[in-house]
Protein backbone atom coordinates (compact mmCIF):
# COMPACT_ATOMS: atom_id res chain seq x y z
CA UNK A 1 0.00 0.00 0.00
CA UNK A 2 2.82 2.36 0.86
CA UNK A 3 4.39 1.71 -2.51
CA UNK A 4 1.10 2.30 -4.33
CA UNK A 5 0.60 5.61 -2.55
CA UNK A 6 4.08 6.87 -3.17
CA UNK A 7 3.86 5.90 -6.84
CA UNK A 8 0.58 7.79 -7.14
CA UNK A 9 2.03 10.88 -5.44
CA UNK A 10 5.15 10.70 -7.59
CA UNK A 11 3.15 10.74 -10.81
CA UNK A 12 0.33 13.13 -9.90
CA UNK A 13 1.46 16.72 -10.11
CA UNK A 14 -0.57 19.03 -7.92
CA UNK A 15 -0.67 22.82 -8.01
CA UNK A 16 -2.48 25.40 -5.89
CA UNK A 17 -3.97 28.72 -6.96
CA UNK A 18 -4.37 31.08 -3.99
CA UNK A 19 -6.77 33.94 -4.63
CA UNK A 20 -5.39 37.09 -2.99
CA UNK A 21 -6.48 39.75 -5.48
CA UNK A 22 -9.11 41.48 -3.32
CA UNK A 23 -8.48 45.23 -3.30
CA UNK A 24 -9.48 45.76 0.31
CA UNK A 25 -10.81 49.16 -0.72
CA UNK A 26 -12.60 49.70 2.60
CA UNK A 27 -9.48 48.74 4.53
CA UNK A 28 -7.37 51.03 2.34
CA UNK A 29 -9.73 53.91 3.07
CA UNK A 30 -9.31 53.26 6.79
CA UNK A 31 -5.51 53.17 6.42
CA UNK A 32 -5.31 49.42 7.07
CA UNK A 33 -3.65 46.74 5.00
CA UNK A 34 -6.09 44.65 2.92
CA UNK A 35 -7.16 41.65 5.01
CA UNK A 36 -4.97 39.11 3.22
CA UNK A 37 -1.94 41.22 4.23
CA UNK A 38 -3.08 41.98 7.79
CA UNK A 39 -0.70 40.65 10.40
CA UNK A 40 -1.68 37.52 12.26
CA UNK A 41 0.88 36.41 14.84
CA UNK A 42 4.30 37.01 13.35
CA UNK A 43 3.29 37.16 9.66
CA UNK A 44 0.66 38.45 7.26
CA UNK A 45 -2.38 36.19 6.79
CA UNK A 46 -1.30 35.32 3.24
CA UNK A 47 2.11 34.08 4.43
CA UNK A 48 0.39 31.60 6.78
CA UNK A 49 -1.90 30.45 3.98
CA UNK A 50 0.98 29.88 1.53
CA UNK A 51 3.00 28.09 4.24
CA UNK A 52 0.11 25.70 4.95
CA UNK A 53 0.29 24.42 1.35
CA UNK A 54 4.09 24.43 1.04
CA UNK A 55 4.19 22.25 4.20
CA UNK A 56 2.15 19.54 2.42
CA UNK A 57 4.36 17.05 0.54
CA UNK A 58 1.58 16.45 -2.02
CA UNK A 59 1.88 20.03 -3.32
CA UNK A 60 4.32 20.65 -6.18
CA UNK A 61 3.67 24.33 -6.90
CA UNK A 62 1.77 27.35 -5.60
CA UNK A 63 0.78 30.40 -7.62
CA UNK A 64 -0.81 33.45 -5.99
CA UNK A 65 -3.16 35.82 -7.85
CA UNK A 66 -2.54 39.31 -6.44
CA UNK A 67 -4.07 42.75 -6.96
CA UNK A 68 -2.03 44.87 -9.42
CA UNK A 69 -1.49 47.49 -6.66
CA UNK A 70 -0.12 44.97 -4.16
CA UNK A 71 3.21 44.00 -5.78
CA UNK A 72 5.36 45.48 -3.01
CA UNK A 73 3.13 44.15 -0.23
CA UNK A 74 3.31 40.70 -1.78
CA UNK A 75 7.09 40.78 -2.21
CA UNK A 76 7.54 41.67 1.46
CA UNK A 77 5.05 38.98 2.48
CA UNK A 78 6.93 36.16 0.72
CA UNK A 79 10.50 37.46 1.11
CA UNK A 80 11.29 34.62 3.55
CA UNK A 81 10.09 32.05 0.97
CA UNK A 82 12.30 33.34 -1.85
CA UNK A 83 14.38 30.14 -1.84
CA UNK A 84 11.41 27.79 -2.29
CA UNK A 85 11.17 26.92 -5.99
CA UNK A 86 7.60 25.61 -5.52
CA UNK A 87 6.33 29.18 -5.01
CA UNK A 88 5.91 30.45 -8.57
CA UNK A 89 5.95 34.15 -9.54
CA UNK A 90 2.60 35.81 -8.71
CA UNK A 91 0.01 36.56 -11.38
CA UNK A 92 -2.10 39.70 -11.54
CA UNK A 93 -5.72 39.03 -10.70
CA UNK A 94 -8.69 40.56 -12.45
CA UNK A 95 -11.81 42.44 -11.40
CA UNK A 96 -13.64 39.29 -10.27
CA UNK A 97 -12.63 36.22 -8.29
CA UNK A 98 -13.34 34.14 -11.37
CA UNK A 99 -10.93 36.13 -13.57
CA UNK A 100 -8.23 35.97 -10.88
CA UNK A 101 -8.48 32.18 -10.72
CA UNK A 102 -8.35 32.07 -14.51
CA UNK A 103 -5.09 34.09 -14.49
CA UNK A 104 -3.62 31.52 -12.09
CA UNK A 105 -4.79 28.60 -14.26
CA UNK A 106 -3.31 30.27 -17.37
CA UNK A 107 0.07 30.57 -15.63
CA UNK A 108 -0.03 26.88 -14.64
CA UNK A 109 -1.05 25.82 -18.16
CA UNK A 110 2.51 26.37 -19.41
CA UNK A 111 3.40 23.16 -17.58
CA UNK A 112 0.00 21.75 -16.66
CA UNK A 113 -0.36 19.83 -13.39
CA UNK A 114 -2.73 16.85 -13.06
CA UNK A 115 -4.71 18.38 -10.20
CA UNK A 116 -5.28 21.90 -8.97
CA UNK A 117 -6.59 23.25 -5.67
CA UNK A 118 -8.11 26.73 -5.50
CA UNK A 119 -7.97 28.41 -2.10
CA UNK A 120 -8.93 31.73 -0.50
CA UNK A 121 -5.98 33.77 0.83
CA UNK A 122 -8.06 34.69 3.89
CA UNK A 123 -8.34 31.06 5.11
CA UNK A 124 -4.98 30.55 6.85
CA UNK A 125 -6.20 27.71 9.11
CA UNK A 126 -6.52 25.10 6.37
CA UNK A 127 -5.14 21.80 7.73
CA UNK A 128 -3.24 18.93 6.08
CA UNK A 129 -6.29 16.72 6.73
CA UNK A 130 -8.62 19.02 4.75
CA UNK A 131 -6.06 19.31 1.91
CA UNK A 132 -5.71 15.51 1.80
CA UNK A 133 -9.48 14.90 1.76
CA UNK A 134 -9.89 17.43 -1.07
CA UNK A 135 -7.20 15.68 -3.12
CA UNK A 136 -8.26 12.12 -2.29
CA UNK A 137 -11.82 12.88 -3.42
CA UNK A 138 -10.51 13.55 -6.93
CA UNK A 139 -9.94 9.81 -7.40
CA UNK A 140 -13.73 9.49 -7.81
CA UNK A 141 -14.90 12.89 -9.10
CA UNK A 142 -13.94 15.77 -11.42
CA UNK A 143 -14.07 18.21 -8.54
CA UNK A 144 -14.20 18.34 -4.75
CA UNK A 145 -15.27 21.01 -2.36
CA UNK A 146 -14.37 21.25 1.32
CA UNK A 147 -17.59 22.12 3.13
CA UNK A 148 -19.26 21.85 6.51
CA UNK A 149 -22.81 20.70 7.13
CA UNK A 150 -25.19 23.42 8.30
CA UNK A 151 -26.43 22.82 11.84
CA UNK A 152 -28.56 25.95 12.24
CA UNK A 153 -32.05 26.08 10.79
CA UNK A 154 -32.11 28.38 7.76
CA UNK A 155 -34.78 31.06 7.25
CA UNK A 156 -35.30 33.13 4.14
CA UNK A 157 -36.79 36.57 4.85
CA UNK A 158 -38.27 39.40 2.83
CA UNK A 159 -37.11 43.02 2.91
CA UNK A 160 -39.05 43.58 6.15
CA UNK A 161 -37.23 40.68 7.86
CA UNK A 162 -40.44 38.63 7.77
CA UNK A 163 -39.82 34.91 7.38
CA UNK A 164 -41.06 33.71 4.04
CA UNK A 165 -39.52 30.27 4.02
CA UNK A 166 -37.79 27.73 6.26
CA UNK A 167 -35.15 26.04 4.15
CA UNK A 168 -34.72 22.33 4.92
CA UNK A 169 -31.16 21.95 6.13
CA UNK A 170 -30.81 18.31 5.11
CA UNK A 171 -27.92 18.04 2.67
CA UNK A 172 -27.17 21.77 2.93
CA UNK A 173 -23.48 22.65 3.26
CA UNK A 174 -21.47 25.83 3.71
CA UNK A 175 -18.77 25.90 1.03
CA UNK A 176 -15.16 26.49 2.05
CA UNK A 177 -11.91 26.21 0.17
CA UNK A 178 -9.80 24.42 -0.92
CA UNK A 179 -11.78 23.26 -3.90
CA UNK A 180 -9.98 20.60 -5.94
CA UNK A 181 -10.25 19.72 -9.62
CA UNK A 182 -8.62 17.80 -12.36
CA UNK A 183 -6.65 20.64 -13.89
CA UNK A 184 -7.69 20.16 -17.52
CA UNK A 185 -11.37 19.97 -16.58
CA UNK A 186 -11.32 23.18 -14.51
CA UNK A 187 -9.25 25.09 -17.09
CA UNK A 188 -11.76 24.07 -19.80
CA UNK A 189 -14.74 25.03 -17.60
CA UNK A 190 -13.26 28.48 -16.93
CA UNK A 191 -12.49 29.01 -20.62
CA UNK A 192 -16.09 28.07 -21.51
CA UNK A 193 -17.53 30.39 -18.86
CA UNK A 194 -15.38 33.28 -20.12
CA UNK A 195 -16.39 32.57 -23.73
CA UNK A 196 -20.05 32.56 -22.67
CA UNK A 197 -19.62 35.96 -21.02
CA UNK A 198 -20.30 34.56 -17.54
CA UNK A 199 -18.21 36.31 -14.86
CA UNK A 200 -20.63 36.06 -11.94
CA UNK A 201 -19.64 32.75 -10.33
CA UNK A 202 -18.60 33.19 -6.72
CA UNK A 203 -16.56 30.01 -6.49
CA UNK A 204 -14.94 27.43 -8.71
CA UNK A 205 -17.35 24.68 -7.78
CA UNK A 206 -20.09 26.89 -9.31
CA UNK A 207 -18.08 27.26 -12.54
CA UNK A 208 -17.56 23.50 -12.62
CA UNK A 209 -21.24 22.71 -11.89
CA UNK A 210 -22.30 25.07 -14.68
CA UNK A 211 -19.91 23.23 -17.03
CA UNK A 212 -21.53 19.92 -16.09
CA UNK A 213 -18.66 18.48 -14.06
CA UNK A 214 -19.20 16.00 -11.24
CA UNK A 215 -18.30 17.97 -8.10
CA UNK A 216 -18.61 16.39 -4.66
CA UNK A 217 -18.44 17.66 -1.11
CA UNK A 218 -15.72 16.40 1.24
CA UNK A 219 -15.52 17.19 4.94
CA UNK A 220 -14.10 20.65 5.56
CA UNK A 221 -13.29 21.93 9.04
CA UNK A 222 -15.33 24.42 11.08
CA UNK A 223 -12.00 26.00 12.12
CA UNK A 224 -11.10 26.67 8.46
CA UNK A 225 -12.73 30.10 8.67
CA UNK A 226 -12.50 32.90 6.13
CA UNK A 227 -11.21 35.93 8.03
CA UNK A 228 -13.53 38.81 7.27
CA UNK A 229 -14.49 40.91 10.30
CA UNK A 230 -12.37 42.42 13.06
CA UNK A 231 -13.90 39.85 15.42
CA UNK A 232 -12.62 37.07 13.09
CA UNK A 233 -9.14 38.56 13.31
CA UNK A 234 -9.27 38.87 17.11
CA UNK A 235 -10.33 35.23 17.40
CA UNK A 236 -7.67 34.13 14.92
CA UNK A 237 -4.97 36.04 16.77
CA UNK A 238 -5.86 34.40 20.08
CA UNK A 239 -6.04 30.98 18.48
CA UNK A 240 -2.72 31.36 16.70
CA UNK A 241 -0.96 32.46 19.89
CA UNK A 242 -2.43 29.60 21.93
CA UNK A 243 -1.75 27.04 19.19
CA UNK A 244 1.81 28.25 18.73
CA UNK A 245 2.72 28.20 22.40
CA UNK A 246 0.91 24.92 23.03
CA UNK A 247 2.79 23.32 20.14
CA UNK A 248 6.14 24.61 21.44
CA UNK A 249 5.83 22.83 24.76
CA UNK A 250 9.35 21.37 24.83
CA UNK A 251 10.98 24.13 26.91
CA UNK A 252 14.74 23.94 27.37
CA UNK A 253 17.43 26.06 28.98
CA UNK A 254 21.06 26.14 27.83
CA UNK A 255 24.10 27.81 29.37
CA UNK A 256 27.25 29.26 27.86
CA UNK A 257 30.51 30.62 29.20
CA UNK A 258 33.41 32.34 27.46
CA UNK A 259 36.60 34.24 28.24
CA UNK A 260 38.91 36.34 26.10
CA UNK A 261 42.20 37.98 27.10
CA UNK A 262 42.65 41.76 27.08
CA UNK A 263 45.61 43.10 25.08
CA UNK A 264 46.59 46.70 24.19
CA UNK A 265 44.00 48.34 21.94
CA UNK A 266 41.29 51.01 21.84
CA UNK A 267 37.90 49.25 22.12
CA UNK A 268 36.07 46.06 23.05
CA UNK A 269 32.99 44.63 21.32
CA UNK A 270 30.37 43.24 23.74
CA UNK A 271 26.88 42.08 22.73
CA UNK A 272 27.64 43.50 19.29
CA UNK A 273 28.22 47.01 20.68
CA UNK A 274 31.60 48.75 20.32
CA UNK A 275 32.74 50.22 23.66
CA UNK A 276 35.84 52.49 23.75
CA UNK A 277 38.49 51.12 26.10
CA UNK A 278 42.25 51.21 26.56
CA UNK A 279 42.45 47.49 25.70
CA UNK A 280 40.89 45.15 23.22
CA UNK A 281 39.78 41.55 23.47
CA UNK A 282 42.13 39.15 21.79
CA UNK A 283 40.69 36.39 19.66
CA UNK A 284 40.27 34.86 16.28
CA UNK A 285 36.98 36.66 15.50
CA UNK A 286 35.99 40.05 16.94
CA UNK A 287 36.28 38.26 20.34
CA UNK A 288 32.82 39.32 21.53
CA UNK A 289 32.72 37.09 24.65
CA UNK A 290 29.08 37.92 25.32
CA UNK A 291 27.88 36.80 21.88
CA UNK A 292 30.07 33.69 22.11
CA UNK A 293 28.57 32.73 25.48
CA UNK A 294 25.07 33.37 24.15
CA UNK A 295 25.71 31.31 21.00
CA UNK A 296 26.86 28.41 23.18
CA UNK A 297 23.79 28.79 25.41
CA UNK A 298 21.49 28.38 22.39
CA UNK A 299 23.52 25.48 21.01
CA UNK A 300 23.43 23.95 24.51
CA UNK A 301 19.65 24.17 24.68
CA UNK A 302 19.47 22.51 21.25
CA UNK A 303 21.95 19.80 22.28
CA UNK A 304 23.84 20.70 19.10
CA UNK A 305 27.57 20.97 19.82
CA UNK A 306 29.31 24.22 20.61
CA UNK A 307 30.69 27.27 18.86
CA UNK A 308 34.20 25.76 18.58
CA UNK A 309 32.84 22.67 16.85
CA UNK A 310 30.82 24.64 14.29
CA UNK A 311 33.35 27.46 13.79
CA UNK A 312 36.84 26.04 14.44
CA UNK A 313 39.40 28.77 15.32
CA UNK A 314 41.74 27.08 12.82
CA UNK A 315 39.39 28.11 9.98
CA UNK A 316 40.66 31.32 8.38
CA UNK A 317 37.15 32.27 7.25
CA UNK A 318 36.28 33.44 10.76
CA UNK A 319 39.36 35.67 11.27
CA UNK A 320 38.20 39.08 12.49
CA UNK A 321 34.62 38.10 11.80
CA UNK A 322 31.57 39.78 13.39
CA UNK A 323 30.39 37.32 16.06
CA UNK A 324 26.79 37.95 14.99
CA UNK A 325 27.56 35.34 12.30
CA UNK A 326 27.91 32.66 15.01
CA UNK A 327 24.75 33.76 16.79
CA UNK A 328 22.80 33.74 13.52
CA UNK A 329 24.00 30.22 12.80
CA UNK A 330 22.69 29.02 16.19
CA UNK A 331 19.38 30.84 15.62
CA UNK A 332 19.09 29.26 12.16
CA UNK A 333 19.57 25.81 13.75
CA UNK A 334 16.78 26.70 16.19
CA UNK A 335 14.53 27.87 13.33
CA UNK A 336 15.19 24.68 11.34
CA UNK A 337 13.97 22.68 14.35
CA UNK A 338 10.77 24.77 14.29
CA UNK A 339 11.57 26.45 17.61
CA UNK A 340 11.60 29.94 19.06
CA UNK A 341 13.83 31.83 21.44
CA UNK A 342 11.88 32.60 24.61
CA UNK A 343 14.48 34.52 26.63
CA UNK A 344 18.20 35.28 26.83
CA UNK A 345 20.15 36.43 29.85
CA UNK A 346 23.78 37.55 29.52
CA UNK A 347 26.14 38.43 32.38
CA UNK A 348 29.41 40.21 31.59
CA UNK A 349 32.17 39.92 34.21
CA UNK A 350 34.69 42.76 33.84
CA UNK A 351 36.56 45.27 36.01
CA UNK A 352 36.40 47.74 33.11
CA UNK A 353 35.02 49.25 30.96
CA UNK A 354 31.80 50.16 32.79
CA UNK A 355 28.93 48.28 31.18
CA UNK A 356 26.06 50.27 32.76
CA UNK A 357 26.10 53.19 30.28
CA UNK A 358 25.98 50.69 27.37
CA UNK A 359 23.53 48.17 28.83
CA UNK A 360 20.43 49.40 27.00
CA UNK A 361 22.28 49.63 23.68
CA UNK A 362 23.47 46.04 24.24
CA UNK A 363 19.94 44.81 25.03
CA UNK A 364 18.60 46.56 21.96
CA UNK A 365 21.32 45.06 19.77
CA UNK A 366 20.71 41.55 21.15
CA UNK A 367 16.95 41.92 20.61
CA UNK A 368 17.65 42.99 17.04
CA UNK A 369 20.09 40.12 16.38
CA UNK A 370 17.71 37.59 17.96
CA UNK A 371 14.62 39.14 16.29
CA UNK A 372 12.77 39.07 19.59
CA UNK A 373 11.07 41.58 21.89
CA UNK A 374 13.24 43.70 24.18
CA UNK A 375 11.61 42.26 27.30
CA UNK A 376 12.92 38.83 26.35
CA UNK A 377 16.52 40.07 26.62
CA UNK A 378 18.54 40.74 29.79
CA UNK A 379 22.10 42.10 29.99
CA UNK A 380 23.77 42.27 33.40
CA UNK A 381 27.28 43.11 34.50
CA UNK A 382 29.46 42.68 37.53
CA UNK A 383 33.08 43.19 38.44
CA UNK A 384 35.11 40.35 39.92
CA UNK A 385 36.00 42.38 43.04
CA UNK A 386 39.61 42.66 41.75
CA UNK A 387 40.03 38.92 42.22
CA UNK A 388 41.60 36.53 39.75
CA UNK A 389 42.38 37.18 36.09
CA UNK A 390 39.31 39.33 35.60
CA UNK A 391 40.19 41.31 38.72
CA UNK A 392 43.69 41.89 37.36
CA UNK A 393 42.10 43.15 34.08
CA UNK A 394 43.76 40.36 32.11
CA UNK A 395 40.51 39.34 30.49
CA UNK A 396 36.73 39.59 30.35
CA UNK A 397 34.33 36.68 30.95
CA UNK A 398 30.68 36.28 30.01
CA UNK A 399 27.97 33.84 31.04
CA UNK A 400 24.68 33.35 29.25
CA UNK A 401 21.51 31.36 29.52
CA UNK A 402 19.03 30.89 26.71
CA UNK A 403 15.51 29.52 27.08
CA UNK A 404 14.12 28.03 23.91
CA UNK A 405 10.81 26.40 23.00
CA UNK A 406 10.74 23.49 20.55
CA UNK A 407 7.82 21.57 19.09
CA UNK A 408 6.82 18.75 21.42
CA UNK A 409 7.45 15.53 19.55
CA UNK A 410 7.26 12.04 20.88
CA UNK A 411 10.52 10.34 20.40
CA UNK A 412 10.28 6.71 19.35
CA UNK A 413 12.95 5.30 21.57
CA UNK A 414 12.25 7.33 24.67
CA UNK A 415 8.67 8.39 25.31
CA UNK A 416 7.65 11.67 26.84
MG1 LIG B 1 35.12 32.98 22.37
Amino acid sequence: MILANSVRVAFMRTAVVIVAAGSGSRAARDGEAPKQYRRLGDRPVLAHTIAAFLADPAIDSVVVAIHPDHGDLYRRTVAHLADDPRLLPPVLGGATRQSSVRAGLDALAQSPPDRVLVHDAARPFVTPAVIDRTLDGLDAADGTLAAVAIVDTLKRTDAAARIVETIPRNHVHAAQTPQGFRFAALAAAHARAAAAGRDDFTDDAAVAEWAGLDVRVVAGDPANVKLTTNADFDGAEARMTIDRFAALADVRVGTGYDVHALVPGDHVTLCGVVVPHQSRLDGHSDADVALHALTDAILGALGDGDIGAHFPPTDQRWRGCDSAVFLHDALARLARRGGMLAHVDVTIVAEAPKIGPHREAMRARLAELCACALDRVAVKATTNEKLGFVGRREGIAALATATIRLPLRTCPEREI
Side-chain angles (χ1 to χ4, degrees):
M1 283 311 285
I2 289 169
L3 182 64
N5 269 336
S6 50
V7 166
R8 192 187 76 187
V9 168
F11 285 95
M12 289 286 258
R13 289 184 55 248
T14 304
V16 183
V17 175
I18 295 178
V19 191
S23 67
S25 52
R26 190 180 55 199
R29 205 169 48 238
D30 298 341
E32 288 172 10
K35 66 180 179 181
Q36 65 272 35
Y37 295 102
R38 256 175 85 166
R39 226 170 162 73
L40 185 60
D42 58 347
R43 302 239 152 97
V45 170
L46 177 58
H48 292 291
T49 307
I50 294 171
F53 286 97
L54 290 179
D56 193 308
I59 304 302
D60 298 294
S61 56
V62 174
V63 63
V64 183
I66 65 170
H67 189 280
D69 294 345
H70 295 167
D72 285 342
L73 265 176
Y74 180 77
R75 268 186 290 283
R76 287 200 298 275
T77 298
V78 299
H80 64 296
L81 297 171
D83 293 341
D84 194 324
R86 293 173 302 157
L87 182 60
L88 306 179
V91 295
L92 298 183
T96 63
R97 183 182 197 285
Q98 195 181 324
S99 58
S100 296
V101 172
R102 192 152 179 236
L105 297 175
D106 286 348
L108 293 173
Q110 293 159 19
S111 172
D114 301 290
R115 309 180 292 190
V116 63
L117 297 177
V118 182
H119 189 71
D120 299 325
R123 290 187 195 268
F125 292 116
V126 60
T127 60
V130 171
I131 295 172
D132 287 351
R133 285 197 288 271
T134 312
L135 289 173
D136 289 348
L138 292 176
D139 290 347
D142 300 320
T144 52
L145 158 65
V148 289
I150 299 288
V151 292
D152 298 321
T153 298
L154 300 173
K155 306 287 187 186
R156 190 190 308 281
T157 58
D158 64 13
R162 190 177 300 117
I163 293 169
V164 294
E165 184 189 3
T166 296
I167 300 168
R169 67 178 180 216
N170 292 353
H171 306 300
V172 175
H173 297 84
Q176 301 186 332
T177 66
Q179 301 186 355
F181 303 90
R182 293 173 188 281
F183 176 80
L186 184 67
H190 267 272
R192 272 182 60 196
R198 291 290 304 267
D199 62 359
D200 53 330
F201 295 111
T202 53
D203 71 358
D204 297 276
V207 177
E209 287 158 48
W210 172 82
L213 300 182
D214 171 11
V215 185
R216 301 189 192 181
V217 162
V218 298
D221 185 339
N224 179 26
V225 289
K226 186 172 186 177
L227 301 180
T228 307
T229 64
N230 282 335
D232 293 337
F233 274 88
D234 291 345
E237 189 73 49
R239 176 175 161 194
M240 195 149 272
T241 304
I242 291 164
D243 285 358
R244 178 160 163 73
F245 279 84
L248 296 176
D250 187 352
V251 178
R252 302 174 178 199
V253 176
T255 67
Y257 172 74
D258 196 30
V259 170
H260 280 263
L262 286 164
V263 295
D266 60 7
H267 73 276
V268 292
T269 304
L270 294 168
C271 295
V273 173
V274 171
V275 178
H277 192 42
Q278 64 270 38
S279 309
R280 69 175 173 84
L281 287 166
D282 190 29
H284 187 62
S285 63
D286 66 5
D288 186 332
V289 279
L291 288 192
H292 294 186
L294 178 56
T295 302
D296 263 354
I298 295 168
L299 292 172
L302 287 168
D304 190 0
D306 64 18
I307 193 169
H310 297 305
F311 298 96
T314 49
D315 190 329
Q316 291 308 309
R317 275 180 299 170
W318 317 122
R319 177 161 291 285
C321 137
D322 179 346
S323 294
V325 169
F326 310 142
L327 179 60
H328 278 143
D329 175 76
L331 292 168
R333 288 168 191 272
L334 173 61
R336 284 199 291 276
R337 300 261 293 265
M340 69 171 281
L341 191 62
H343 172 249
V344 300
D345 184 8
V346 175
T347 301
I348 297 166
V349 190
E351 286 313 308
K354 282 198 183 316
I355 304 301
H358 305 282
R359 181 208 307 270
E360 287 311 308
M362 290 177 181
R363 282 183 77 207
R365 180 65 181 146
L366 285 187
E368 184 186 1
L369 290 173
C370 296
C372 68
L374 194 60
D375 72 349
R376 293 182 183 274
V377 177
V379 174
K380 312 192 303 299
T382 181
T383 69
N384 221 30
E385 296 292 336
K386 300 194 169 65
L387 297 171
F389 71 89
V390 171
R392 293 190 299 272
R393 304 185 180 213
E394 292 166 9
I396 291 179
L399 303 94
T401 59
T403 307
I404 66 171
R405 302 182 68 115
L406 292 174
L408 187 59
R409 292 198 182 95
T410 44
C411 141
E413 58 283 357
R414 188 180 291 209
E415 276 1 286
I416 336 181

